[in-house]
Amino acid sequence: MKIEERIKKLKEEKNAIILAHNYQPKEIQKIADFLGDSLELCIKAKETDADIIVFCGVDFMGESAKILNPEKKVLIPEIEGTQCPMAHQLPPEIIKQYRKLYPEAPLVVYVNTTAETKALADITCTSANADKIVNSLKEDLVLFGPDNNLAYFVKKRTEKKVIAIPEGGGCYVHKKFTLDDLKKLKREYPNAKVLIHPECNPELQDHADHIASTSGILKIVLNSEDEEFIIGTEVGMINRLEIELEKIGKKKKLIPLRKDAICNEMKKITLEKLEKCLLEEKYEIKLDKEVIKKAKIAIEKMLEVK
């Protein structure tokens, strides 16, 4: 029996669901029950009736699933080396410092943060809804973290004053992209539409045809009449696009803005680790009950914004 068949059998026996982020390796994406970005996976985790949620992603994603499903067993196939660096750039002590400086300002945190950080936030957001979340608040001054580039994206789409915290916060993968990278590819593919993730640096955002989350990028590629796209996000997104294009019998030219735009933490999960995870039911995400209670409020406030 092939490993994919063994995984499916284990999944059925244990009433488990496999959720995988768009940056996961292709073989993990292919075996997942559901693929998506952070917002889509948050919603799916909240809706599932499975007894076990296996989250193929980085640490904060598994935590988010546990926060929304405290009564369920949430597993991540690998615990070593799956800590998202950006998620740990805004620890509680930094939040407390800014709260003292701006006591009246609500704190919006990206879901790419730890459970402890979410527990201190007023509301969470994703790259798909960050501007909508900020604009939904009644206050004119907002604290926003930890991604400074996503904060830049929001600032261009709101009249509110947005203070990005901490200084220099962001994703090491998306910070790799440069304007020179883009100009070089545009010379080679002059007709290609440029799709940029809002975690990218401002100069990239300013030269994009579209700035979108991974779910937004997917919708644009699938629904556009254009045939060539420069994809400015983690290279795993190319796999997701290819999978979805194959389903509808379409072929399009997908050019990664950089072939080395790789999230090392996302690539730690393998089929072998996924099988072992289901077999041994590890590694389980465990969180303090009070942290779950407070973080859940921030996430559910986000999900309520239409």
Side-chain angles (χ1 to χ4, degrees), residues 52-113:
I52 296 174
I53 299 170
V54 180
F55 214 118
C56 296
V58 288
D59 59 345
F60 75 81
M61 296 179 178
E63 288 182 349
S64 294
K66 183 64 178 178
I67 290 163
L68 292 169
N69 297 272
E71 75 288 351
K72 294 183 185 293
K73 183 175 277 191
V74 177
L75 307 173
I76 185 166
E78 178 57 85
I79 205 74
E80 292 295 324
T82 57
Q83 291 76 31
C84 169
M86 179 168 62
H88 294 265
Q89 290 172 2
L90 189 59
E93 54 267 27
I94 291 179
I95 291 174
K96 288 168 185 174
Q97 290 170 14
Y98 280 97
R99 288 284 204 191
K100 286 179 183 176
L101 291 171
Y102 305 97
E104 303 302 319
L107 172 63
V108 180
V109 301
Y110 199 11
V111 291
N112 300 34
T113 47

Side-chain angles (χ1 to χ4, degrees), residues 1 16 18 38 42 57 82 100 136 140-141 147 247 263 298:
M1 192 184 291
I18 299 171
S38 297
C42 271
T82 57
K100 286 179 183 176
S136 75
D140 293 323
L141 177 66
D147 192 313
K247 285 179 184 176
C263 175

Side-chain angles (χ1 to χ4, degrees), residues 30 48 69 92 133 136 222 245 283:
K30 282 189 168 183
T48 184
N69 297 272
I133 294 298
S136 75
L222 294 183
L245 284 167
Y283 301 90

Side-chain angles (χ1 to χ4, degrees), residues 85-86 89 170-177 262-265:
M86 179 168 62
Q89 290 172 2
C171 169
Y172 74 90
V173 178
H174 289 90
K175 283 186 173 184
K176 279 185 177 182
F177 301 123
I262 297 168
C263 175
N264 297 318
E265 293 74 22

Side-chain angles (χ1 to χ4, degrees), residues 5-6 23 34 62 69 86 118 151 159-160 163 210 214 216 244 268 292:
E5 293 169 352
R6 296 198 302 268
Y23 297 159
F34 191 80
N69 297 272
M86 179 168 62
K118 290 183 182 73
E159 293 181 1
K160 298 178 187 293
I163 298 173
H210 301 279
T214 53
E244 299 304 327
K268 297 286 184 183
I292 287 176

Side-chain angles (χ1 to χ4, degrees), residues 7 11 16-20 28 31-34 54-56 274 278:
I7 289 170
K11 185 186 67 174
I17 186 172
I18 299 171
L19 306 181
I28 299 296
I31 204 165
D33 295 295
F34 191 80
V54 180
F55 214 118
C56 296
L274 178 54
L278 280 163

